[in-house]
């Protein structure tokens, strides 16, 4: 069972060092969050799992890390300057600001309307002002003079850096179609609507890949291209389910209706998750045709093409784009992992049942007590494990409380060093430790000499 309500996760995230509301010292700053010591590990692990599945384990995808601040005409070509707008309206009574499309979609519950059918404020039912279109890109300036000449934008997505490097990658990596270019990094959107924790923030991380393929013979009936689109949807859905361990019953694919599609799109499907407030997007898989390469070719005056050795012709590839939200996925991993259940003594415990590959800390080394006799061996075990796995050493408080703490941060394995390990009262130690499993709470005795093998078996994909 995932956490029933978001507040539980928000408070655990703060208490245990995953995610902090940003700038609390100054009264907070809407829609921004800081990632704490465990949050940063969790984020790295999700990104690494994505990179592994999208780049390392595939022969047909390479990586990229393009500049964040780039030529402003990139965003003219992509359409963001002209069309990256949201309709915003204010409540005349409570003054809250809303995205009208979100109210209409039911993101705040069944939409309220007046007798004329116009949407009303979800907060207090007040009348809304006429919606105004608001561009979501953050503007900045390059250099010291703030004029239109020097304007630059913070990137609202990662994709454009990939499109403008298409020819560089083909030439430098001798790539043949079909192939993909993947990139994971921060994006910025001037989101005004009240966020739901890290679901919607000003600054967030995305994991995107552009997969370039041959254009279809028939533009109006691109069967093979759409089949490839479906393949990518399935591949990505399987990643959430199998690699991150998200329950299939809380994942679904939603194909966009014709009216929802951009004019150039041959189809888009969202991978959605059942959040505590309803279904929400985790990733969009878009069949973007040749729109982006074509648009940059037109705007720059230098067509971006691929030379097909077989037909000896220059062609503009078509593209499929799986675009995922890293920070949004982090919230989902926490929601999914959250479990309340009895511990070995029948008392309530909170456990984050992360799959080992995403767990921030893989192993905790816990001497049974602070006793000096245990420390050298415990430190030796810790030094042995830490080069291989993210490991924590903790000797404060009772062993029971330390188990609870590791359960609450989702550490899959605890290794305990006790007096049987080191020996006492003239009896020689067995040089073995206890390995406790987070989920089953089962404990097994393992010789230190064999410990790394046992950890490897129990920490798949780490
Ligand atoms: P939404 O409809 O929720 O605003 P979108 O359709 O605009 O999302 P895309 O442009 O397709 O989103 O971006 C791909 C992914 O990036 C989204 O599925 C989501 O996971 C993530 N994402 C987009 N905007 C934000 C944001 N403001 N905060 C956190 N993650 C975001």
């Amino acid at each position: 069972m995932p956490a029933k309500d978001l507040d539980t996760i928000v408070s655990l995230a703060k208490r245990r060092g995953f995610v902090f509301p940003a700038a609390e010292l100054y009264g907070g700053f809407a829609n921004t969050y800081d990632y704490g010591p465990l949050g940063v590990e969790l984020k790295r692990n999700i990104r690494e799992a994505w990179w592994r599945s999208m780049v390392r384990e595939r022969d047909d995808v390479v990586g990229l890390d393009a500049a964040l601040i780039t030529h402003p005409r990139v965003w003219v070509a992509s359409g963001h300057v002209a069309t990256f707008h949201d309709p915003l309206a204010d409540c005349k009574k409570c003054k809250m600001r809303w995205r009208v499309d979100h109210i209409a979609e039911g993101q705040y519950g069944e939409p309220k309307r007046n007798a004329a059918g116009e949407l009303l404020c979800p907060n207090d039912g007040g009348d809304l002002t006429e919606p105004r279109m608001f561009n979501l890109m953050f503007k900045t300036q390059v250099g010291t003079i703030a004029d239109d000449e020097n304007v630059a934008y913070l990137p609202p997505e990662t994709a454009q850096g990939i499109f403008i490097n298409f020819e560089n990658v083909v030439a430098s990596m001798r790539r043949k179609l079909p192939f993909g270019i993947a990139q994971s990094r921060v994006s910025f959107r001037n989101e005004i609507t009240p966020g739901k924790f890290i679901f919607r923030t000003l600054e967030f991380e995305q994991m995107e890949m552009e997969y370039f393929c041959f254009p279809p013979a028939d533009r109006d009936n691109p069967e093979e291209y759409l089949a490839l689109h479906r393949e990518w949807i399935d591949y990505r859905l399987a990643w959430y389910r199998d690699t991150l361990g998200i329950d299939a019953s809380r994942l679904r694919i939603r194909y966009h209706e014709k009216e929802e599609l951009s004019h150039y799109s041959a189809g888009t499907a969202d991978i959605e998750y059942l959040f505590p407030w309803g279904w929400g997007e985790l990733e969009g898989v878009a069949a973007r045709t040749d729109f982006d390469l074509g648009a940059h070719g037109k705007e720059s005056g230098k067509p971006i093409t691929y030379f097909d050795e077989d037909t000896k012709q220059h062609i503009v590839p078509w593209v499929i784009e799986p675009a995922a939200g890293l920070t949004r996925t982090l919230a989902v991993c926490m929601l999914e992992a959250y479990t309340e259940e009895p511990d070995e003594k029948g008392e309530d415990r909170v456990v984050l049942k992360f799959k080992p590959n995403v767990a921030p800390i893989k192993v905790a080394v816990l001497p049974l007590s602070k006793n000096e006799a245990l420390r050298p061996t415990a430190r030796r075990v810790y030094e042995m494990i830490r080069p291989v796995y993210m490991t924590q050493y903790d000797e404060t408080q009772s062993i029971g409380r330390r188990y609870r703490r590791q359960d609450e941060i989702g550490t899959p394995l605890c290794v305990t060093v006790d007096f049987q390990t080191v020996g006492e009262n003239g009896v020689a130690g067995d040089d073995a430790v206890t390995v406790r499993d987070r989920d089953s709470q089962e404990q097994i005795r393992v010789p230190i000499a064999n410990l790394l093998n046992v950890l490897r078996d129990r920490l798949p994909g780490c």
Side-chain angles (χ1 to χ4, degrees):
M1 262 306 281
K4 291 171 284 302
D5 64 277
L6 194 62
D7 291 346
T8 313
I9 292 300
V10 175
S11 92
L12 172 73
K14 182 172 174 195
R15 193 172 67 250
R16 290 301 189 196
F18 285 88
V19 184
F20 308 125
E24 276 193 312
L25 188 63
Y26 292 95
F29 198 63
N31 295 342
T32 55
Y33 288 87
D34 298 333
Y35 290 82
L38 296 188
V40 72
E41 295 296 334
L42 179 55
K43 196 157 45 148
R44 284 168 58 119
N45 292 343
I46 298 169
R47 188 192 293 112
E48 175 57 27
W50 180 85
W51 195 262
R52 186 188 278 236
S53 136
M54 298 298 274
V55 182
R56 263 171 52 196
E57 289 177 355
R58 294 192 67 105
D59 293 332
D60 56 349
V61 182
V62 291
L64 183 79
D65 195 0
L68 291 175
I69 302 213
T70 186
H71 202 294
R73 281 173 66 195
V74 167
W75 305 109
V76 175
S78 69
H80 284 87
V81 171
T83 62
F84 196 50
H85 294 92
D86 281 340
L88 292 183
D90 297 328
C91 173
K92 292 180 184 168
K93 241 162 64 187
C94 71
K95 309 293 177 210
M96 276 179 79
R97 180 160 289 171
W98 302 94
R99 260 180 68 177
V100 180
D101 53 334
H102 284 172
I103 303 178
E105 282 165 12
Q107 287 203 17
Y108 304 104
E110 190 57 35
K112 295 178 203 155
R113 294 178 185 273
N114 63 15
E118 291 159 343
L119 290 168
L120 297 171
C121 173
N123 180 38
D124 61 0
D127 288 333
L128 296 176
T129 57
E130 275 296 306
R132 279 174 303 119
M133 296 311 274
F134 177 85
N135 195 296
L136 288 176
M137 278 198 298
F138 282 104
K139 260 189 196 173
T140 186
Q141 93 220 20
V142 174
T144 51
I145 302 163
D147 61 13
D148 286 350
E149 292 270 294
N150 295 312
V151 69
Y153 299 96
L154 302 191
E157 58 169 38
T158 83
Q160 302 309 320
I162 297 179
F163 295 127
I164 60 176
N165 276 294
F166 172 76
E167 288 185 329
N168 284 335
V169 173
V170 170
S172 59
M173 306 305 291
R174 295 176 294 115
R175 281 283 145 184
K176 298 265 174 273
L177 291 184
F179 77 94
I181 305 177
Q183 173 162 251
S184 170
R185 47 149 231 218
V186 66
S187 291
F188 304 85
R189 294 185 191 177
N190 197 354
E191 307 269 13
I192 326 283
T193 48
K196 295 170 174 122
F197 187 40
I198 52 173
F199 179 79
R200 188 177 301 287
T201 47
L202 300 184
E203 186 186 324
F204 54 99
E205 288 188 48
Q206 289 187 306
M207 307 179 291
E208 293 192 310
M209 197 269 296
E210 307 300 323
Y211 196 77
F212 300 94
C213 57
F214 283 103
D218 180 356
R219 221 189 149 87
D220 298 323
N221 195 15
E223 266 177 42
E224 264 184 50
Y225 174 67
L226 292 178
L228 186 63
H229 182 224
R230 281 193 296 275
E231 261 177 49
W232 274 109
I233 297 166
D234 292 344
Y235 187 75
R236 294 298 307 140
L237 184 69
W239 182 77
Y240 288 101
R241 198 187 51 219
D242 304 336
T243 305
L244 300 188
I246 299 172
D247 195 285
S249 68
R250 285 181 290 279
L251 287 168
R252 74 172 187 192
I253 296 170
R254 187 182 71 82
Y255 278 89
H256 285 205
E257 303 287 341
K258 272 239 146 40
E259 316 71 78
E260 245 182 294
L261 292 178
S262 351
H263 61 281
Y264 54 81
S265 176
T268 296
D270 290 343
I271 298 177
E272 296 188 334
Y273 176 74
L274 188 55
F275 287 91
W277 59 86
W279 292 98
E281 178 183 331
L282 270 184
E283 168 160 353
V285 187
R288 302 181 64 95
T289 68
D290 54 1
F291 172 77
D292 305 273
L293 291 180
H296 285 296
K298 219 182 272 164
E299 177 69 24
S300 65
K302 294 173 211 128
I304 302 178
T305 58
Y306 171 89
F307 184 69
D308 181 4
E309 301 281 356
D310 291 340
T311 61
K312 307 284 178 224
Q313 288 195 335
H314 287 275
I315 56 165
V316 181
W318 279 36
V319 170
I320 288 164
E321 174 193 81
L326 169 54
T327 36
R328 208 176 266 190
T329 300
L330 185 147
V332 169
C333 285
M334 292 197 72
L335 282 161
E336 277 290 304
Y338 186 88
T339 313
E340 287 173 19
E341 62 179 26
D343 66 8
E344 50 266 83
K345 292 194 197 128
E347 286 165 16
D348 289 346
R349 69 164 187 164
V350 168
V351 199
L352 287 184
K353 293 192 172 177
F354 290 127
K355 290 251 305 193
N357 58 340
V358 295
I361 310 289
K362 313 295 185 200
V363 185
V365 175
L366 314 172
L368 189 65
S369 70
K370 257 188 162 166
N371 192 302
E372 289 292 333
L374 299 175
R375 191 171 293 142
T377 307
R379 293 296 303 187
R380 172 164 62 89
V381 169
Y382 174 54
E383 296 300 341
M384 183 179 91
I385 303 172
R386 73 194 290 199
V388 190
Y389 299 112
M390 190 71 192
T391 309
Q392 217 173 55
Y393 182 86
D394 186 3
E395 58 179 20
T396 57
Q397 296 186 316
S398 75
I399 188 75
R401 290 182 80 152
R402 279 179 281 156
Y403 281 155
R404 284 305 81 76
R405 187 155 63 221
Q406 295 299 334
D407 287 345
E408 225 186 351
I409 63 172
T411 306
L413 299 172
C414 289
V415 171
T416 310
V417 173
D418 55 21
F419 291 100
Q420 200 183 324
T421 317
V422 298
E424 64 177 337
N425 303 331
V427 180
D430 62 2
D431 221 29
V433 289
T434 301
V435 176
R436 172 189 181 267
D437 181 274
R438 177 195 66 198
D439 298 347
S440 68
Q441 301 179 64
E442 177 207 13
Q443 302 193 8
I444 54 166
R445 199 80 190 159
V446 177
I448 293 173
N450 194 33
L451 183 59
L452 282 178
N453 289 330
V454 171
L455 298 184
R456 190 180 325 114
D457 288 348
R458 291 178 173 237
L459 295 170
C462 298

